[in-house]
Amino acid sequence: MANKTTGSGQWTNMGNVTTNPDGSYSDSKTYNFLDMVSYEGGSYVCLENGTIGVRPSPGESTDRWFCSSVPGEATPDFKNLVTEAKEAARTAKEKASEAKTSAKASEISAQAASNSAGAAAASARDAENAKDVVAGYKSAAEKAASSAATSEKNVNDKIAGLDNTFSEKTTSAIEIINKSVDTKAEEIKNEITATKKSMVDASQKAINDTIDARKTEINNTGASEIKNVQAESATQTQGIKSVAAEQLAAINAAGGTLESAIERYYAMRRTREIYTVEELDPDVTQACTVNRLDALSGLTCTPSTNTTAGEDQIGTLEAFRPIEVNWILDDDGNQKITAIEGMPGYKTTGKVNRGIMNMGLYYKKERNAEDNGWLHHWSMLPRKEEGYVPMKECVRPDNTVQGWMIHPKGAAVDIDGVPYVTNGKPVRNKPSYANFTYARKQGPAYCFETDVDAAWVLALTMIKYGTKDLQAYMKGCTSYSNQYNVAVAEENTKRVILTKDQANYFVVGSSVSIGNPGSNTNFDRGNNYMHNIVDSAKITAIQKVDDTYSALVLDVSAPFTTATTYKVSAMHWETGSTDSVQGYDGSPVSNTDGKNICKINGIEIMPGGLSVSGNSVHIIETDSDGNTSCTYYRCDDARLLTTNTDTIISSYVKVGSFPATDNAWKFIKEQMVDFGKGVMYPVTYGGGDKAYWADGWHTGSTPSAGQKSARELLRRGHLDYGGLAGPSYVLGYNGLWLTWWRTLATLSPNAVRGEWQATA
């Protein structure tokens, strides 16, 4: 359309602003963004301008085509929707009939179009999405004809959910498009006409009636009357809303619109800054500090608590800003984002997985100019010619690169025998490297925490705090292991009484167990009798009883009875315990007392339990001459995990080798890190909890000459590991099968990752 003026408005061709029905797919035709075609019974939306000769894949979404509907039988919910919608549509038809004469005699004036552009745009989206529903449910098309008027509100709600999701994060380009709708009423009208021609006759009539009714309302009553009609419609379609939410969740879970929007969101925010940290060699300095250079220079970060906000000049940068999402994996290991915090359907509890999403970054490692240290660079742009590579967590299973990366929010919770990364009591006594069948309860591509997840926590420590020693800022729950006898017995209670000093040892929000050990003298928390009265209940308050005693008030459903022979033990924090912390980093009550769970850039760590590595092991071996060494192996496809040592050696990636610790804890002096590959392992040992890397490694007992042993990697420490704990800490002295009360787990969205090809 050529530029023209009508009244005082300027009309400009801005391309498709909604889906454009374009008939049946043709190999010889060129398609542009939002062109919609039919192919083998389904409907597909073009995602890239200039697409020609690339056919849709039946029933699937691809990089070029989004599968909006496929043929099939209507679901029970949809059939119910049809029944509920008929009555509402009848009302809409009556209104349309009354307004028909007026609609034929008038056109929308320029001023009225400007006032009602939002409603017209909504009608366009209504028509297009209603077409998709008809295409996906051929057998129900005739029955659905009279439901289109009511379904219109359903579709508006779907689109509003996505609009709200990105309203706070939208780009200037999107804002311009939204504003430009005010000047495109004529084009929108043409889009509606074109869309109507592609629909089945019955549905077309229903949509026409709806649009005609809207035109009449716009001419006669204006925007205020439309709002009244919409309010009436909202009442009629209340039952349809729940179905709409379920349909939207299904669409999002299948991939397509939400991931495409996220891809574009990040693409429009990439700028040329480079973020660098300099790690100096151990023979230059034993200090834990690293130098923050380039765009990190001069920025500061301090952790928060529930009551005090710290300062975070890095978490607010577009390159590192964390966004909470719900995610799942398909059977091939592709990440599917099902909801974003702030949009309808996002959940923190129940059978969902919480994750922290960031912009997908590119990484380069090189020696510094003085050749006395390493430079770790992150960039928002690919910079292939400069040697940057995409972070491993950005590489899809098919080796293509996605624009975002996701890491798990916190420890997994067991719901009906299945682990989920959701709020609640973390599962213990089940996770181990060998128990990958438990990790796969949601699907074959799931596993526990991966190397890239662990390496990202260390990278964030260096980026945000300029140190390798996170405990200098947040100690985590690493010194919180006391046990006490009940001081005063009570019956039918939901609290436990201790001496005042003992009660004050505990932290509100943390958890305790109460057990009746009977005649047993072993009070290890691995014994079931240490939890047989109360099993890991949250402390909701510490209540003064009198001048001598105080009580821990517990979050339990049923009252219990205590005796002075019972034991009270500190336990792991619940997942989600940092949700009230005011910043992206911090702890609920104190960052320095060693009793509090903490989070960094939204990721919860050190809840008082170890996190088992799901995709990597180390094999310790003593050769015939008595020399012992450890070799690090990793599998980037969780579907191929094994416990067979020989298979691990032959089929896993050999990451590197390092010295054994001679069955003792040793602090890491020198460490090999490559954040692009998600790799970190010790090179030499020495120092302490405030020197070099400040964290400990333990490789376990030494095998006999000619023998080898595979051992799992347990990360970051637990209730009583103090200064040994932190991002680089690994306990590697267990075999592969040990399930332990100290061992927790998370589920990783990065369980199946591809291998980026530099020439691609």
Side-chain angles (χ1 to χ4, degrees), residues 270 362-363 379-390:
R270 296 185 184 275
Y362 296 83
Y363 172 82
S379 168
M380 290 186 280
L381 295 174
R383 300 179 181 273
K384 293 181 182 179
E385 69 283 357
E386 300 175 37
Y388 283 76
V389 299

Side-chain angles (χ1 to χ4, degrees), residues 1 34 79 141 167 244 250 425 503 534 564 573 647 695 701 724 746:
M1 179 188 297
L34 292 183
K79 292 177 180 179
S167 63
K425 182 170 65 177
V534 171
T564 55
W573 285 74
T647 304
D695 296 337
S701 59
L724 285 166
T746 187

Side-chain angles (χ1 to χ4, degrees), residues 260-336:
S260 297
I262 292 169
E263 198 81 52
R264 287 170 172 78
Y265 169 80
Y266 283 128
M268 290 185 288
R269 283 160 172 77
R270 296 185 184 275
T271 54
R272 297 199 60 81
E273 288 84 2
I274 293 175
Y275 305 92
T276 302
V277 296
E278 181 183 40
E279 165 212 340
L280 295 176
D281 292 341
D283 58 354
V284 176
T285 179
Q286 67 175 10
C288 298
T289 55
V290 298
N291 298 315
R292 289 180 291 180
L293 308 174
D294 297 326
L296 291 176
S297 180
L299 300 182
T300 62
C301 189
T302 56
S304 303
T305 66
N306 287 350
T307 57
T308 303
E311 183 177 18
D312 190 347
Q313 296 179 344
I314 296 172
T316 55
L317 297 175
E318 201 63 59
F320 302 104
R321 186 192 309 273
I323 298 173
E324 292 205 14
V325 299
N326 293 145
W327 60 271
I328 59 173
L329 299 178
D330 67 18
D331 288 352
D332 293 324
N334 293 294
Q335 298 170 357
K336 302 297 181 182

Side-chain angles (χ1 to χ4, degrees), residues 121 222 258-259 375 408 500 507 567 602 612 642 688-689 750 760:
L258 189 51
E259 281 90 357
L375 297 173
K500 182 169 61 175
V507 180
K567 287 283 186 180
V612 63
T642 180
D689 66 349
N750 302 304

Side-chain angles (χ1 to χ4, degrees), residues 150 530 589:
T150 307
M530 296 302 294
V589 178

Side-chain angles (χ1 to χ4, degrees), residues 599-620:
K599 67 178 177 181
I600 184 164
N601 229 42
I603 300 171
E604 282 191 350
I605 55 174
M606 296 190 284
L610 299 154
S611 181
V612 63
S613 180
N615 73 331
S616 58
V617 301
H618 82 94
I619 295 179
I620 184 169

